[in-house]
Amino acid sequence: MAGSPLTWLITGASSGLGESLALKALGAGFNVIGTTRDVSKAQTACPDFEDKGGIWLGLDPGKKDAYEKFAKCCQEHDVDVLVNNAGYAFIGGVEDTSESDIRDQMEVNFYGPLRTVQACLPVMRAKGSGHIILISSGSGFIARPGQATYSASKFAIEAIHESLSYEVKPLGVKVLIVEPGAFRTPFSRRILTPAGLENGFSDGYKGTPVEQTMTRSLHLTSIPDWVKGDPDKAAQAIINATVEGYDYLRLLLGKDCVVALESKISELQRDLDATRPIATATDVD
Ligand SMILES: NC(=O)c1ccc[n+]([C@@H]2O[C@H](COP(=O)([O-])OP(=O)(O)OC[C@H]3O[C@@H](n4cnc5c(N)ncnc54)[C@H](OP(=O)(O)O)[C@@H]3O)[C@@H](O)[C@H]2O)c1
């Protein structure tokens, strides 16, 4: 990608990982457009952003009209690096979760990033370069009890980005899926849970892993000690990868995420070993 500075478009840049990334990118001399649902709230919460040259774009990636706003922004600012960061977690057992809870989660975590990707691609294809970066999660490869809806949204949007990586590689556009573990951001304060259930789960799930997850996720007044990730270090790692280049699709962040992926690989290997004789006996003779 020749020429500098590059222009970054970061969704959900008013707090947490998005804010860290926006400020680090500005500090590194890049142009940055940050989206937020509420520009005046973002200006108050994050005054450094505009002071350092950042531009706020007011939109909700979870709404259908976001596509037009993203497309206009990408054309006007000739975006080079798209970071699909905005997202939240819905936590709750499968049986306790309503269809509308799932649809809301998918609008923000799945359709939101899909809208930005489709809006940015014409600009990136035309110049034969660009980076599409998805902030996914360890929940993008592992689905723990009580986290089905959040994981479903991240698995699904990872699939879009994985497929896209092959589609756009010959066109000069690179795709990076970032998988953070637990990071110290306001994320856990924004967790949504099934409506009308006092502790977030119905009686039938008392004493099960669903209860454990809900108890761990709800009523948090501060960031728990087991959350070890530093969002500024995560932001720097993403900038380094973009500037220095990368030859991998997935970038894990956090020791907890490394442990989770190793465990997932072991589970997949165990299932493969257990079912190989069955699988290989089902081809036509
Ligand atoms: N923190 C973690 O432990 C962790 C771990 C793994 C993955 N992640 C992922 O990292 C990304 C950033 O999260 P974060 O930790 O930085 O949390 P955060 O501080 O809550 O930031 C999330 C951003 O997403 C936007 N957002 C939140 N709820 C939204 C909704 N309902 N509709 C539209 N936009 C919404 C917000 O933007 P505005 O309010 O400005 O519109 C906010 O700036 C998310 O995709 C999350 O899934 C976080």
Side-chain angles (χ1 to χ4, degrees):
M1 190 178 299
S4 203
L6 303 179
T7 297
W8 291 54
L9 171 61
I10 303 171
T11 66
S14 73
S15 80
L17 289 166
E19 179 185 3
S20 290
L21 191 53
L23 295 178
K24 288 265 182 212
L26 287 166
F30 299 120
N31 303 316
V32 178
I33 300 134
T35 80
T36 176
R37 288 165 296 169
D38 187 334
V39 172
S40 61
K41 207 168 139 194
Q43 283 170 326
T44 308
C46 186
D48 286 357
F49 179 73
E50 284 181 326
D51 291 349
K52 291 185 175 182
I55 299 170
W56 286 118
L57 173 65
L59 59 75
D60 183 342
K63 297 273 187 283
K64 286 199 174 66
D65 68 353
Y67 170 82
E68 278 75 29
K69 293 179 184 174
F70 282 129
K72 188 165 174 284
C73 169
C74 291
Q75 294 281 349
E76 279 177 9
H77 294 278
D78 199 23
V79 168
D80 300 292
V81 183
L82 164 66
V83 184
N84 268 319
N85 167 74
Y88 74 95
F90 181 93
I91 304 295
V94 172
E95 192 181 339
D96 292 333
T97 301
S98 72
E99 186 174 322
S100 99
D101 290 332
I102 297 170
R103 287 185 186 279
D104 289 350
Q105 177 80 102
M106 295 303 280
E107 282 296 345
V108 176
N109 289 12
F110 176 77
Y111 289 105
L114 183 57
R115 289 178 185 114
T116 62
V117 164
Q118 292 182 329
C120 278
L121 274 174
V123 171
M124 292 183 178
R125 271 195 302 105
K127 54 185 166 185
S129 65
H131 293 269
I132 293 175
I133 301 175
L134 170 69
I135 308 298
S136 178
S137 169
S139 298
F141 59 76
I142 201 158
R144 295 203 166 102
Q147 298 185 7
T149 302
Y150 180 55
S151 281
S153 70
K154 294 292 192 183
F155 272 51
I157 196 60
E158 282 211 9
I160 294 280
H161 285 72
E162 183 173 322
S163 181
L164 186 68
S165 71
Y166 299 111
E167 293 179 9
V168 297
K169 190 175 176 191
L171 308 175
V173 179
K174 294 199 73 178
V175 176
L176 180 64
I177 298 174
V178 179
E179 294 173 331
F183 275 70
R184 296 186 175 192
T185 74
F187 186 68
S188 54
R189 291 209 308 263
R190 301 188 211 252
I191 286 173
L192 298 184
T193 59
L197 296 174
E198 197 184 339
N199 295 311
F201 63 95
S202 51
D203 288 347
Y205 288 88
K206 203 162 176 38
T208 73
V210 172
E211 179 181 13
Q212 286 163 23
T213 298
M214 300 316 290
T215 307
R216 199 164 103 129
S217 310
L218 285 183
H219 315 305
L220 292 173
T221 49
S222 58
I223 296 171
D225 191 46
W226 53 263
V227 175
K228 299 289 186 201
D230 177 341
D232 287 340
K233 288 188 180 175
Q236 193 59 57
I238 294 166
I239 289 175
N240 291 349
T242 310
V243 171
E244 292 161 12
Y246 46 91
D247 59 1
Y248 42 80
L249 176 60
R250 289 179 170 81
L251 168 61
L252 277 76
L253 295 174
K255 288 180 192 154
D256 56 344
C257 211
V258 171
V259 171
L261 184 55
E262 283 171 346
S263 158
K264 178 77 184 197
I265 290 168
S266 302
E267 285 169 22
L268 289 173
Q269 188 65 51
R270 190 195 57 208
D271 286 357
L272 176 60
D273 293 344
T275 62
R276 184 181 276 110
I278 304 169
T280 52
T282 55
D283 290 354
V284 288
D285 290 327

